[in-house]
Amino acid sequence: MVDQSIPEARTPGTPGETDAASAGGGISRRRMLGTAGATGLVLGTAGAAGGYAAAPSEAAAPLTSLGTDRAMFHGKHQPGITDALQARGHVVAFDLAAGAGRIEAAALLRRWSETARRLMAGEPSGHDDTGVARDAGPSSLTITFGFGHSFFARTGLEKQRPASLDPLPEFSSDHLDKSRSNGDLWVQIGANDSLVAFHALRAIQKDTGSAARVRWQMNGFNRSPGATAHPMTARNLMGQIDGTRNPKPAEPDFDQRIFVPQKGEPAWMANGSYAVVRRIRMLLDDWEKLSGKAQEDVIGRRKSDGAALSGGTETTAMDLEKTDAKGNLVVPINAHARITRPDQNGGAAMLRRPFSFHDGIDTDGVPDAGLLFICWQADPLRGFVPVQRKLDRGDALSQFIRHESSGLFAVPGGAAEGEYVGQKLLEG
């Protein structure tokens, strides 16, 4: 939970040009998605691909922009890193099965990549598609894959393991459940429709077959696009605007801070990034006992609009030296926003892309809720680690949160057309 914001939401793309009907007279679901917004084409056209055709008598309205918005699977970077926050998310880690190695891992990543490509295009996943999301478009679905530290020993690829993937140090504020931490493989799924996200999760799990087993899985959410009158930085479950100073893709050093360079080491990580994943429980009952002023002092920002306590708007630079009439610092010395500033941490920066979570109420009536903290950086030793070490030494927020699980994953660059994610590692 550092004082950095999510990139600006991208504008939904204009639906693609109308495709010709297939030879059999039907129109594929993917082609329908490209024409729905422009022509009002009925999505129940007979002969639609993958058994997604509606009954001939059914007439469907064109998909809204929420459904038609599509992220691309192939590209320089994997999807799900710089995309705008999505309304629903799933993160899941797998361990390779006993006896499974490099060959089985390569086959699995090949299957996963093909499934991700199809689902992100709004197509059925392939054989035995469950049909859960048959009525929806891509809905900004992204599926992202990464490798944990243990993956390399399991596959005989220790020499290819990046130094930046060394296990994270222990922090005094950690209360980690090892069964919900780390893993050989990691998958992040996000979408703006809950059924689309669940459909992808189920397809990925089914594709796994006997090659791997689920180690842990977590579910999260964010505000739905269009739920506010104007785009704004997201709020977390504490009610605070969360992430004002995130690096922006338009900044000249963004790629340098977030992505491994084209000629970086190891070579298979070119254009990739490192994801730190932390389940951070918020002690909401304790937090909500504080006055509004006390909450603002803990964070260092106004709750109403996210502006620094030193004044201005959300984006106004924080004045760390400003004092009140009594000579006290306006932004307390242990305020979360002060401690996490890059200029207070040797320039350390990371791109935060979290989801909130709520997993029910404990027997004592306390909500099991908080933040699925996911941050991206070119090197966690220069991004997450120095900031977390400083937070560990005196963050005012620490008494209201608990770090319950943790993982670090190497996320390779995007797959080119005809390739699968991680191919350069597994076949190089």
Side-chain angles (χ1 to χ4, degrees), residues 94-95 146-168 181-186 268 274-275 407-410:
F94 296 85
D95 285 336
F147 304 108
H149 182 274
S150 56
F151 175 82
F152 296 85
R154 300 292 304 275
T155 55
L157 292 166
E158 292 96 331
K159 292 182 179 180
Q160 291 296 324
R161 184 172 57 216
S164 297
L165 197 60
D166 285 350
L168 295 174
S181 299
N182 301 312
D184 294 341
L185 294 157
W186 176 71
W268 65 268
Y274 292 89
L408 171 62
F409 302 94

PDB file of all heavy atoms in Angstrom, residues 94-95 146-168 181-186 268 274-275 407-410:
ATOM      1  N   PHE A  94       0.513 -22.105  -8.709  1.00  0.00           N
ATOM      2  CA  PHE A  94       0.545 -23.545  -8.922  1.00  0.00           C
ATOM      3  C   PHE A  94       1.927 -24.084  -8.570  1.00  0.00           C
ATOM      4  O   PHE A  94       2.932 -23.386  -8.721  1.00  0.00           O
ATOM      5  CB  PHE A  94       0.264 -23.890 -10.390  1.00  0.00           C
ATOM      6  CG  PHE A  94      -1.104 -23.519 -10.879  1.00  0.00           C
ATOM      7  CD1 PHE A  94      -1.381 -22.241 -11.352  1.00  0.00           C
ATOM      8  CD2 PHE A  94      -2.128 -24.461 -10.908  1.00  0.00           C
ATOM      9  CE1 PHE A  94      -2.630 -21.892 -11.820  1.00  0.00           C
ATOM     10  CE2 PHE A  94      -3.381 -24.128 -11.372  1.00  0.00           C
ATOM     11  CZ  PHE A  94      -3.637 -22.839 -11.828  1.00  0.00           C
ATOM     12  N   ASP A  95       1.976 -25.322  -8.138  1.00  0.00           N
ATOM     13  CA  ASP A  95       3.223 -26.067  -8.005  1.00  0.00           C
ATOM     14  C   ASP A  95       3.212 -27.199  -9.021  1.00  0.00           C
ATOM     15  O   ASP A  95       2.173 -27.869  -9.203  1.00  0.00           O
ATOM     16  CB  ASP A  95       3.369 -26.657  -6.595  1.00  0.00           C
ATOM     17  CG  ASP A  95       3.733 -25.610  -5.563  1.00  0.00           C
ATOM     18  OD1 ASP A  95       4.306 -24.569  -5.943  1.00  0.00           O
ATOM     19  OD2 ASP A  95       3.432 -25.832  -4.373  1.00  0.00           O
ATOM     20  N   GLY A 146       3.665 -15.903 -14.663  1.00  0.00           N
ATOM     21  CA  GLY A 146       4.977 -15.669 -14.081  1.00  0.00           C
ATOM     22  C   GLY A 146       5.562 -16.925 -13.460  1.00  0.00           C
ATOM     23  O   GLY A 146       4.863 -17.930 -13.261  1.00  0.00           O
ATOM     24  N   PHE A 147       6.863 -16.856 -13.139  1.00  0.00           N
ATOM     25  CA  PHE A 147       7.601 -17.991 -12.572  1.00  0.00           C
ATOM     26  C   PHE A 147       8.143 -17.619 -11.197  1.00  0.00           C
ATOM     27  O   PHE A 147       8.720 -16.549 -11.011  1.00  0.00           O
ATOM     28  CB  PHE A 147       8.777 -18.371 -13.484  1.00  0.00           C
ATOM     29  CG  PHE A 147       8.381 -18.684 -14.894  1.00  0.00           C
ATOM     30  CD1 PHE A 147       8.678 -17.801 -15.926  1.00  0.00           C
ATOM     31  CD2 PHE A 147       7.702 -19.856 -15.202  1.00  0.00           C
ATOM     32  CE1 PHE A 147       8.319 -18.090 -17.238  1.00  0.00           C
ATOM     33  CE2 PHE A 147       7.333 -20.149 -16.509  1.00  0.00           C
ATOM     34  CZ  PHE A 147       7.641 -19.263 -17.528  1.00  0.00           C
ATOM     35  N   GLY A 148       7.967 -18.524 -10.225  1.00  0.00           N
ATOM     36  CA  GLY A 148       8.510 -18.328  -8.903  1.00  0.00           C
ATOM     37  C   GLY A 148       9.924 -18.866  -8.782  1.00  0.00           C
ATOM     38  O   GLY A 148      10.422 -19.578  -9.659  1.00  0.00           O
ATOM     39  N   HIS A 149      10.584 -18.554  -7.680  1.00  0.00           N
ATOM     40  CA  HIS A 149      11.959 -18.973  -7.431  1.00  0.00           C
ATOM     41  C   HIS A 149      12.105 -20.487  -7.536  1.00  0.00           C
ATOM     42  O   HIS A 149      13.074 -21.000  -8.109  1.00  0.00           O
ATOM     43  CB  HIS A 149      12.388 -18.479  -6.045  1.00  0.00           C
ATOM     44  CG  HIS A 149      13.797 -18.808  -5.677  1.00  0.00           C
ATOM     45  ND1 HIS A 149      14.163 -20.020  -5.102  1.00  0.00           N
ATOM     46  CD2 HIS A 149      14.947 -18.086  -5.792  1.00  0.00           C
ATOM     47  CE1 HIS A 149      15.457 -20.022  -4.893  1.00  0.00           C
ATOM     48  NE2 HIS A 149      15.967 -18.871  -5.295  1.00  0.00           N
ATOM     49  N   SER A 150      11.151 -21.233  -6.995  1.00  0.00           N
ATOM     50  CA  SER A 150      11.245 -22.700  -6.952  1.00  0.00           C
ATOM     51  C   SER A 150      11.083 -23.360  -8.318  1.00  0.00           C
ATOM     52  O   SER A 150      11.470 -24.515  -8.506  1.00  0.00           O
ATOM     53  CB  SER A 150      10.188 -23.251  -5.992  1.00  0.00           C
ATOM     54  OG  SER A 150       8.882 -22.813  -6.366  1.00  0.00           O
ATOM     55  N   PHE A 151      10.524 -22.637  -9.281  1.00  0.00           N
ATOM     56  CA  PHE A 151      10.273 -23.209 -10.604  1.00  0.00           C
ATOM     57  C   PHE A 151      11.565 -23.672 -11.271  1.00  0.00           C
ATOM     58  O   PHE A 151      11.592 -24.690 -11.978  1.00  0.00           O
ATOM     59  CB  PHE A 151       9.585 -22.166 -11.487  1.00  0.00           C
ATOM     60  CG  PHE A 151       9.367 -22.592 -12.913  1.00  0.00           C
ATOM     61  CD1 PHE A 151       8.278 -23.381 -13.261  1.00  0.00           C
ATOM     62  CD2 PHE A 151      10.252 -22.206 -13.917  1.00  0.00           C
ATOM     63  CE1 PHE A 151       8.079 -23.778 -14.576  1.00  0.00           C
ATOM     64  CE2 PHE A 151      10.061 -22.596 -15.223  1.00  0.00           C
ATOM     65  CZ  PHE A 151       8.971 -23.387 -15.564  1.00  0.00           C
ATOM     66  N   PHE A 152      12.643 -22.947 -11.052  1.00  0.00           N
ATOM     67  CA  PHE A 152      13.868 -23.190 -11.807  1.00  0.00           C
ATOM     68  C   PHE A 152      14.577 -24.465 -11.358  1.00  0.00           C
ATOM     69  O   PHE A 152      15.136 -25.190 -12.188  1.00  0.00           O
ATOM     70  CB  PHE A 152      14.765 -21.960 -11.702  1.00  0.00           C
ATOM     71  CG  PHE A 152      14.142 -20.753 -12.334  1.00  0.00           C
ATOM     72  CD1 PHE A 152      13.252 -19.961 -11.626  1.00  0.00           C
ATOM     73  CD2 PHE A 152      14.401 -20.428 -13.652  1.00  0.00           C
ATOM     74  CE1 PHE A 152      12.641 -18.869 -12.214  1.00  0.00           C
ATOM     75  CE2 PHE A 152      13.802 -19.344 -14.256  1.00  0.00           C
ATOM     76  CZ  PHE A 152      12.913 -18.557 -13.539  1.00  0.00           C
ATOM     77  N   ALA A 153      14.526 -24.765 -10.081  1.00  0.00           N
ATOM     78  CA  ALA A 153      15.098 -26.028  -9.618  1.00  0.00           C
ATOM     79  C   ALA A 153      14.241 -27.200 -10.085  1.00  0.00           C
ATOM     80  O   ALA A 153      14.765 -28.265 -10.451  1.00  0.00           O
ATOM     81  CB  ALA A 153      15.204 -26.031  -8.091  1.00  0.00           C
ATOM     82  N   ARG A 154      12.936 -27.008 -10.114  1.00  0.00           N
ATOM     83  CA  ARG A 154      12.031 -28.079 -10.521  1.00  0.00           C
ATOM     84  C   ARG A 154      12.208 -28.447 -11.993  1.00  0.00           C
ATOM     85  O   ARG A 154      11.911 -29.566 -12.408  1.00  0.00           O
ATOM     86  CB  ARG A 154      10.571 -27.663 -10.286  1.00  0.00           C
ATOM     87  CG  ARG A 154      10.229 -27.352  -8.837  1.00  0.00           C
ATOM     88  CD  ARG A 154      10.269 -28.588  -7.962  1.00  0.00           C
ATOM     89  NE  ARG A 154       9.407 -29.638  -8.451  1.00  0.00           N
ATOM     90  CZ  ARG A 154       8.103 -29.714  -8.175  1.00  0.00           C
ATOM     91  NH1 ARG A 154       7.525 -28.782  -7.417  1.00  0.00           N
ATOM     92  NH2 ARG A 154       7.379 -30.714  -8.643  1.00  0.00           N
ATOM     93  N   THR A 155      12.675 -27.508 -12.801  1.00  0.00           N
ATOM     94  CA  THR A 155      12.798 -27.721 -14.242  1.00  0.00           C
ATOM     95  C   THR A 155      14.241 -27.828 -14.712  1.00  0.00           C
ATOM     96  O   THR A 155      14.495 -27.900 -15.920  1.00  0.00           O
ATOM     97  CB  THR A 155      12.100 -26.576 -14.996  1.00  0.00           C
ATOM     98  OG1 THR A 155      12.642 -25.322 -14.544  1.00  0.00           O
ATOM     99  CG2 THR A 155      10.596 -26.591 -14.753  1.00  0.00           C
ATOM    100  N   GLY A 156      15.201 -27.832 -13.785  1.00  0.00           N
ATOM    101  CA  GLY A 156      16.600 -27.932 -14.175  1.00  0.00           C
ATOM    102  C   GLY A 156      17.133 -26.683 -14.832  1.00  0.00           C
ATOM    103  O   GLY A 156      18.109 -26.740 -15.593  1.00  0.00           O
ATOM    104  N   LEU A 157      16.523 -25.540 -14.535  1.00  0.00           N
ATOM    105  CA  LEU A 157      16.912 -24.280 -15.175  1.00  0.00           C
ATOM    106  C   LEU A 157      17.533 -23.300 -14.177  1.00  0.00           C
ATOM    107  O   LEU A 157      17.416 -22.085 -14.335  1.00  0.00           O
ATOM    108  CB  LEU A 157      15.684 -23.639 -15.843  1.00  0.00           C
ATOM    109  CG  LEU A 157      15.114 -24.378 -17.053  1.00  0.00           C
ATOM    110  CD1 LEU A 157      13.727 -23.851 -17.411  1.00  0.00           C
ATOM    111  CD2 LEU A 157      16.052 -24.242 -18.251  1.00  0.00           C
ATOM    112  N   GLU A 158      18.231 -23.832 -13.169  1.00  0.00           N
ATOM    113  CA  GLU A 158      18.791 -22.971 -12.135  1.00  0.00           C
ATOM    114  C   GLU A 158      19.701 -21.878 -12.689  1.00  0.00           C
ATOM    115  O   GLU A 158      19.718 -20.753 -12.189  1.00  0.00           O
ATOM    116  CB  GLU A 158      19.583 -23.798 -11.109  1.00  0.00           C
ATOM    117  CG  GLU A 158      18.735 -24.723 -10.259  1.00  0.00           C
ATOM    118  CD  GLU A 158      18.707 -26.133 -10.828  1.00  0.00           C
ATOM    119  OE1 GLU A 158      18.840 -26.271 -12.078  1.00  0.00           O
ATOM    120  OE2 GLU A 158      18.570 -27.087 -10.054  1.00  0.00           O
ATOM    121  N   LYS A 159      20.446 -22.187 -13.732  1.00  0.00           N
ATOM    122  CA  LYS A 159      21.364 -21.202 -14.300  1.00  0.00           C
ATOM    123  C   LYS A 159      20.628 -20.040 -14.967  1.00  0.00           C
ATOM    124  O   LYS A 159      21.228 -18.994 -15.230  1.00  0.00           O
ATOM    125  CB  LYS A 159      22.310 -21.871 -15.293  1.00  0.00           C
ATOM    126  CG  LYS A 159      23.298 -22.836 -14.641  1.00  0.00           C
ATOM    127  CD  LYS A 159      24.245 -23.428 -15.663  1.00  0.00           C
ATOM    128  CE  LYS A 159      25.258 -24.373 -15.014  1.00  0.00           C
ATOM    129  NZ  LYS A 159      26.191 -24.971 -16.003  1.00  0.00           N
ATOM    130  N   GLN A 160      19.364 -20.245 -15.260  1.00  0.00           N
ATOM    131  CA  GLN A 160      18.571 -19.190 -15.896  1.00  0.00           C
ATOM    132  C   GLN A 160      17.760 -18.378 -14.885  1.00  0.00           C
ATOM    133  O   GLN A 160      17.038 -17.463 -15.262  1.00  0.00           O
ATOM    134  CB  GLN A 160      17.626 -19.805 -16.934  1.00  0.00           C
ATOM    135  CG  GLN A 160      18.325 -20.376 -18.152  1.00  0.00           C
ATOM    136  CD  GLN A 160      19.026 -19.291 -18.943  1.00  0.00           C
ATOM    137  OE1 GLN A 160      18.540 -18.169 -19.056  1.00  0.00           O
ATOM    138  NE2 GLN A 160      20.196 -19.615 -19.487  1.00  0.00           N
ATOM    139  N   ARG A 161      17.867 -18.725 -13.606  1.00  0.00           N
ATOM    140  CA  ARG A 161      17.099 -18.008 -12.594  1.00  0.00           C
ATOM    141  C   ARG A 161      17.694 -16.626 -12.368  1.00  0.00           C
ATOM    142  O   ARG A 161      18.879 -16.488 -12.083  1.00  0.00           O
ATOM    143  CB  ARG A 161      17.085 -18.791 -11.286  1.00  0.00           C
ATOM    144  CG  ARG A 161      16.211 -18.140 -10.203  1.00  0.00           C
ATOM    145  CD  ARG A 161      16.061 -19.049  -8.998  1.00  0.00           C
ATOM    146  NE  ARG A 161      17.347 -19.403  -8.431  1.00  0.00           N
ATOM    147  CZ  ARG A 161      17.630 -20.588  -7.897  1.00  0.00           C
ATOM    148  NH1 ARG A 161      16.710 -21.547  -7.894  1.00  0.00           N
ATOM    149  NH2 ARG A 161      18.813 -20.827  -7.387  1.00  0.00           N
ATOM    150  N   PRO A 162      16.894 -15.566 -12.461  1.00  0.00           N
ATOM    151  CA  PRO A 162      17.427 -14.203 -12.299  1.00  0.00           C
ATOM    152  C   PRO A 162      17.839 -13.934 -10.858  1.00  0.00           C
ATOM    153  O   PRO A 162      17.203 -14.405  -9.913  1.00  0.00           O
ATOM    154  CB  PRO A 162      16.232 -13.314 -12.685  1.00  0.00           C
ATOM    155  CG  PRO A 162      15.253 -14.216 -13.367  1.00  0.00           C
ATOM    156  CD  PRO A 162      15.463 -15.580 -12.803  1.00  0.00           C
ATOM    157  N   ALA A 163      18.880 -13.144 -10.696  1.00  0.00           N
ATOM    158  CA  ALA A 163      19.306 -12.734  -9.354  1.00  0.00           C
ATOM    159  C   ALA A 163      18.223 -11.916  -8.667  1.00  0.00           C
ATOM    160  O   ALA A 163      18.076 -11.963  -7.436  1.00  0.00           O
ATOM    161  CB  ALA A 163      20.605 -11.926  -9.448  1.00  0.00           C
ATOM    162  N   SER A 164      17.451 -11.192  -9.457  1.00  0.00           N
ATOM    163  CA  SER A 164      16.377 -10.368  -8.892  1.00  0.00           C
ATOM    164  C   SER A 164      15.231 -11.196  -8.333  1.00  0.00           C
ATOM    165  O   SER A 164      14.329 -10.648  -7.689  1.00  0.00           O
ATOM    166  CB  SER A 164      15.839  -9.404  -9.956  1.00  0.00           C
ATOM    167  OG  SER A 164      16.843  -8.500 -10.368  1.00  0.00           O
ATOM    168  N   LEU A 165      15.253 -12.504  -8.582  1.00  0.00           N
ATOM    169  CA  LEU A 165      14.201 -13.384  -8.084  1.00  0.00           C
ATOM    170  C   LEU A 165      14.591 -14.038  -6.761  1.00  0.00           C
ATOM    171  O   LEU A 165      13.887 -14.920  -6.273  1.00  0.00           O
ATOM    172  CB  LEU A 165      13.866 -14.446  -9.133  1.00  0.00           C
ATOM    173  CG  LEU A 165      12.540 -15.197  -8.981  1.00  0.00           C
ATOM    174  CD1 LEU A 165      11.355 -14.244  -9.023  1.00  0.00           C
ATOM    175  CD2 LEU A 165      12.396 -16.262 -10.066  1.00  0.00           C
ATOM    176  N   ASP A 166      15.703 -13.613  -6.165  1.00  0.00           N
ATOM    177  CA  ASP A 166      16.053 -14.134  -4.846  1.00  0.00           C
ATOM    178  C   ASP A 166      14.900 -13.887  -3.883  1.00  0.00           C
ATOM    179  O   ASP A 166      14.210 -12.855  -3.979  1.00  0.00           O
ATOM    180  CB  ASP A 166      17.317 -13.456  -4.318  1.00  0.00           C
ATOM    181  CG  ASP A 166      18.574 -13.961  -5.004  1.00  0.00           C
ATOM    182  OD1 ASP A 166      18.484 -14.959  -5.744  1.00  0.00           O
ATOM    183  OD2 ASP A 166      19.646 -13.352  -4.809  1.00  0.00           O
ATOM    184  N   PRO A 167      14.660 -14.809  -2.946  1.00  0.00           N
ATOM    185  CA  PRO A 167      13.525 -14.644  -2.033  1.00  0.00           C
ATOM    186  C   PRO A 167      13.548 -13.292  -1.323  1.00  0.00           C
ATOM    187  O   PRO A 167      14.617 -12.762  -0.993  1.00  0.00           O
ATOM    188  CB  PRO A 167      13.716 -15.793  -1.035  1.00  0.00           C
ATOM    189  CG  PRO A 167      14.463 -16.839  -1.807  1.00  0.00           C
ATOM    190  CD  PRO A 167      15.395 -16.068  -2.708  1.00  0.00           C
ATOM    191  N   LEU A 168      12.365 -12.732  -1.102  1.00  0.00           N
ATOM    192  CA  LEU A 168      12.266 -11.464  -0.393  1.00  0.00           C
ATOM    193  C   LEU A 168      12.765 -11.633   1.035  1.00  0.00           C
ATOM    194  O   LEU A 168      12.600 -12.693   1.643  1.00  0.00           O
ATOM    195  CB  LEU A 168      10.803 -10.989  -0.368  1.00  0.00           C
ATOM    196  CG  LEU A 168      10.180 -10.650  -1.724  1.00  0.00           C
ATOM    197  CD1 LEU A 168       8.698 -10.350  -1.544  1.00  0.00           C
ATOM    198  CD2 LEU A 168      10.887  -9.475  -2.380  1.00  0.00           C
ATOM    199  N   SER A 181       1.759 -18.570   0.176  1.00  0.00           N
ATOM    200  CA  SER A 181       2.838 -17.728  -0.316  1.00  0.00           C
ATOM    201  C   SER A 181       3.626 -18.453  -1.402  1.00  0.00           C
ATOM    202  O   SER A 181       3.614 -19.685  -1.470  1.00  0.00           O
ATOM    203  CB  SER A 181       3.781 -17.346   0.837  1.00  0.00           C
ATOM    204  OG  SER A 181       3.109 -16.629   1.847  1.00  0.00           O
ATOM    205  N   ASN A 182       4.279 -17.673  -2.273  1.00  0.00           N
ATOM    206  CA  ASN A 182       5.182 -18.193  -3.309  1.00  0.00           C
ATOM    207  C   ASN A 182       4.484 -19.187  -4.238  1.00  0.00           C
ATOM    208  O   ASN A 182       3.285 -19.102  -4.453  1.00  0.00           O
ATOM    209  CB  ASN A 182       6.425 -18.790  -2.644  1.00  0.00           C
ATOM    210  CG  ASN A 182       7.153 -17.752  -1.805  1.00  0.00           C
ATOM    211  OD1 ASN A 182       7.400 -16.645  -2.264  1.00  0.00           O
ATOM    212  ND2 ASN A 182       7.465 -18.090  -0.548  1.00  0.00           N
ATOM    213  N   GLY A 183       5.236 -20.143  -4.816  1.00  0.00           N
ATOM    214  CA  GLY A 183       4.703 -21.077  -5.799  1.00  0.00           C
ATOM    215  C   GLY A 183       5.593 -21.165  -7.016  1.00  0.00           C
ATOM    216  O   GLY A 183       6.377 -20.250  -7.300  1.00  0.00           O
ATOM    217  N   ASP A 184       5.504 -22.298  -7.735  1.00  0.00           N
ATOM    218  CA  ASP A 184       6.310 -22.479  -8.952  1.00  0.00           C
ATOM    219  C   ASP A 184       5.841 -21.568 -10.081  1.00  0.00           C
ATOM    220  O   ASP A 184       6.654 -20.975 -10.805  1.00  0.00           O
ATOM    221  CB  ASP A 184       6.222 -23.934  -9.430  1.00  0.00           C
ATOM    222  CG  ASP A 184       6.864 -24.911  -8.467  1.00  0.00           C
ATOM    223  OD1 ASP A 184       7.672 -24.492  -7.621  1.00  0.00           O
ATOM    224  OD2 ASP A 184       6.557 -26.123  -8.566  1.00  0.00           O
ATOM    225  N   LEU A 185       4.536 -21.470 -10.248  1.00  0.00           N
ATOM    226  CA  LEU A 185       3.941 -20.703 -11.344  1.00  0.00           C
ATOM    227  C   LEU A 185       2.869 -19.780 -10.780  1.00  0.00           C
ATOM    228  O   LEU A 185       2.209 -20.112  -9.780  1.00  0.00           O
ATOM    229  CB  LEU A 185       3.305 -21.634 -12.381  1.00  0.00           C
ATOM    230  CG  LEU A 185       4.263 -22.540 -13.164  1.00  0.00           C
ATOM    231  CD1 LEU A 185       3.529 -23.746 -13.714  1.00  0.00           C
ATOM    232  CD2 LEU A 185       4.901 -21.749 -14.298  1.00  0.00           C
ATOM    233  N   TRP A 186       2.677 -18.644 -11.427  1.00  0.00           N
ATOM    234  CA  TRP A 186       1.701 -17.661 -10.953  1.00  0.00           C
ATOM    235  C   TRP A 186       0.889 -17.163 -12.136  1.00  0.00           C
ATOM    236  O   TRP A 186       1.423 -16.925 -13.221  1.00  0.00           O
ATOM    237  CB  TRP A 186       2.424 -16.501 -10.286  1.00  0.00           C
ATOM    238  CG  TRP A 186       1.545 -15.374  -9.842  1.00  0.00           C
ATOM    239  CD1 TRP A 186       0.655 -15.369  -8.808  1.00  0.00           C
ATOM    240  CD2 TRP A 186       1.483 -14.051 -10.419  1.00  0.00           C
ATOM    241  NE1 TRP A 186       0.050 -14.144  -8.699  1.00  0.00           N
ATOM    242  CE2 TRP A 186       0.540 -13.314  -9.664  1.00  0.00           C
ATOM    243  CE3 TRP A 186       2.141 -13.425 -11.487  1.00  0.00           C
ATOM    244  CZ2 TRP A 186       0.230 -11.988  -9.955  1.00  0.00           C
ATOM    245  CZ3 TRP A 186       1.839 -12.108 -11.775  1.00  0.00           C
ATOM    246  CH2 TRP A 186       0.889 -11.394 -11.013  1.00  0.00           C
ATOM    247  N   TRP A 268      16.118 -13.993 -21.421  1.00  0.00           N
ATOM    248  CA  TRP A 268      14.716 -14.402 -21.586  1.00  0.00           C
ATOM    249  C   TRP A 268      13.751 -13.472 -20.851  1.00  0.00           C
ATOM    250  O   TRP A 268      12.543 -13.495 -21.112  1.00  0.00           O
ATOM    251  CB  TRP A 268      14.507 -15.843 -21.132  1.00  0.00           C
ATOM    252  CG  TRP A 268      14.730 -16.091 -19.662  1.00  0.00           C
ATOM    253  CD1 TRP A 268      15.883 -16.475 -19.058  1.00  0.00           C
ATOM    254  CD2 TRP A 268      13.756 -15.974 -18.619  1.00  0.00           C
ATOM    255  NE1 TRP A 268      15.703 -16.601 -17.702  1.00  0.00           N
ATOM    256  CE2 TRP A 268      14.401 -16.299 -17.409  1.00  0.00           C
ATOM    257  CE3 TRP A 268      12.406 -15.637 -18.594  1.00  0.00           C
ATOM    258  CZ2 TRP A 268      13.741 -16.289 -16.179  1.00  0.00           C
ATOM    259  CZ3 TRP A 268      11.741 -15.615 -17.368  1.00  0.00           C
ATOM    260  CH2 TRP A 268      12.412 -15.954 -16.185  1.00  0.00           C
ATOM    261  N   TYR A 274       8.907  -7.791 -12.725  1.00  0.00           N
ATOM    262  CA  TYR A 274       8.815  -8.614 -11.523  1.00  0.00           C
ATOM    263  C   TYR A 274       7.601  -8.185 -10.713  1.00  0.00           C
ATOM    264  O   TYR A 274       7.408  -6.983 -10.464  1.00  0.00           O
ATOM    265  CB  TYR A 274      10.085  -8.491 -10.680  1.00  0.00           C
ATOM    266  CG  TYR A 274      11.290  -9.105 -11.350  1.00  0.00           C
ATOM    267  CD1 TYR A 274      12.096  -8.347 -12.198  1.00  0.00           C
ATOM    268  CD2 TYR A 274      11.601 -10.453 -11.172  1.00  0.00           C
ATOM    269  CE1 TYR A 274      13.195  -8.909 -12.842  1.00  0.00           C
ATOM    270  CE2 TYR A 274      12.705 -11.027 -11.813  1.00  0.00           C
ATOM    271  CZ  TYR A 274      13.481 -10.244 -12.640  1.00  0.00           C
ATOM    272  OH  TYR A 274      14.566 -10.817 -13.283  1.00  0.00           O
ATOM    273  N   ALA A 275       6.788  -9.160 -10.330  1.00  0.00           N
ATOM    274  CA  ALA A 275       5.572  -8.888  -9.563  1.00  0.00           C
ATOM    275  C   ALA A 275       5.764  -9.334  -8.121  1.00  0.00           C
ATOM    276  O   ALA A 275       6.124 -10.480  -7.861  1.00  0.00           O
ATOM    277  CB  ALA A 275       4.383  -9.620 -10.180  1.00  0.00           C
ATOM    278  N   GLY A 407       4.577 -13.278  -2.224  1.00  0.00           N
ATOM    279  CA  GLY A 407       5.194 -13.999  -3.327  1.00  0.00           C
ATOM    280  C   GLY A 407       5.929 -13.046  -4.245  1.00  0.00           C
ATOM    281  O   GLY A 407       5.590 -11.862  -4.331  1.00  0.00           O
ATOM    282  N   LEU A 408       6.951 -13.553  -4.897  1.00  0.00           N
ATOM    283  CA  LEU A 408       7.716 -12.790  -5.885  1.00  0.00           C
ATOM    284  C   LEU A 408       7.827 -13.641  -7.139  1.00  0.00           C
ATOM    285  O   LEU A 408       8.207 -14.815  -7.065  1.00  0.00           O
ATOM    286  CB  LEU A 408       9.105 -12.448  -5.349  1.00  0.00           C
ATOM    287  CG  LEU A 408      10.103 -11.831  -6.335  1.00  0.00           C
ATOM    288  CD1 LEU A 408       9.591 -10.497  -6.865  1.00  0.00           C
ATOM    289  CD2 LEU A 408      11.472 -11.658  -5.678  1.00  0.00           C
ATOM    290  N   PHE A 409       7.497 -13.046  -8.301  1.00  0.00           N
ATOM    291  CA  PHE A 409       7.447 -13.816  -9.529  1.00  0.00           C
ATOM    292  C   PHE A 409       8.108 -13.044 -10.678  1.00  0.00           C
ATOM    293  O   PHE A 409       7.941 -11.831 -10.802  1.00  0.00           O
ATOM    294  CB  PHE A 409       5.993 -14.146  -9.893  1.00  0.00           C
ATOM    295  CG  PHE A 409       5.291 -14.908  -8.805  1.00  0.00           C
ATOM    296  CD1 PHE A 409       4.528 -14.244  -7.855  1.00  0.00           C
ATOM    297  CD2 PHE A 409       5.435 -16.287  -8.700  1.00  0.00           C
ATOM    298  CE1 PHE A 409       3.899 -14.942  -6.830  1.00  0.00           C
ATOM    299  CE2 PHE A 409       4.806 -16.995  -7.689  1.00  0.00           C
ATOM    300  CZ  PHE A 409       4.040 -16.314  -6.740  1.00  0.00           C
ATOM    301  N   ALA A 410       8.874 -13.791 -11.489  1.00  0.00           N
ATOM    302  CA  ALA A 410       9.468 -13.241 -12.705  1.00  0.00           C
ATOM    303  C   ALA A 410       8.467 -13.401 -13.835  1.00  0.00           C
ATOM    304  O   ALA A 410       8.056 -14.517 -14.156  1.00  0.00           O
ATOM    305  CB  ALA A 410      10.767 -13.968 -13.036  1.00  0.00           C
TER     306      ALA A 410
END
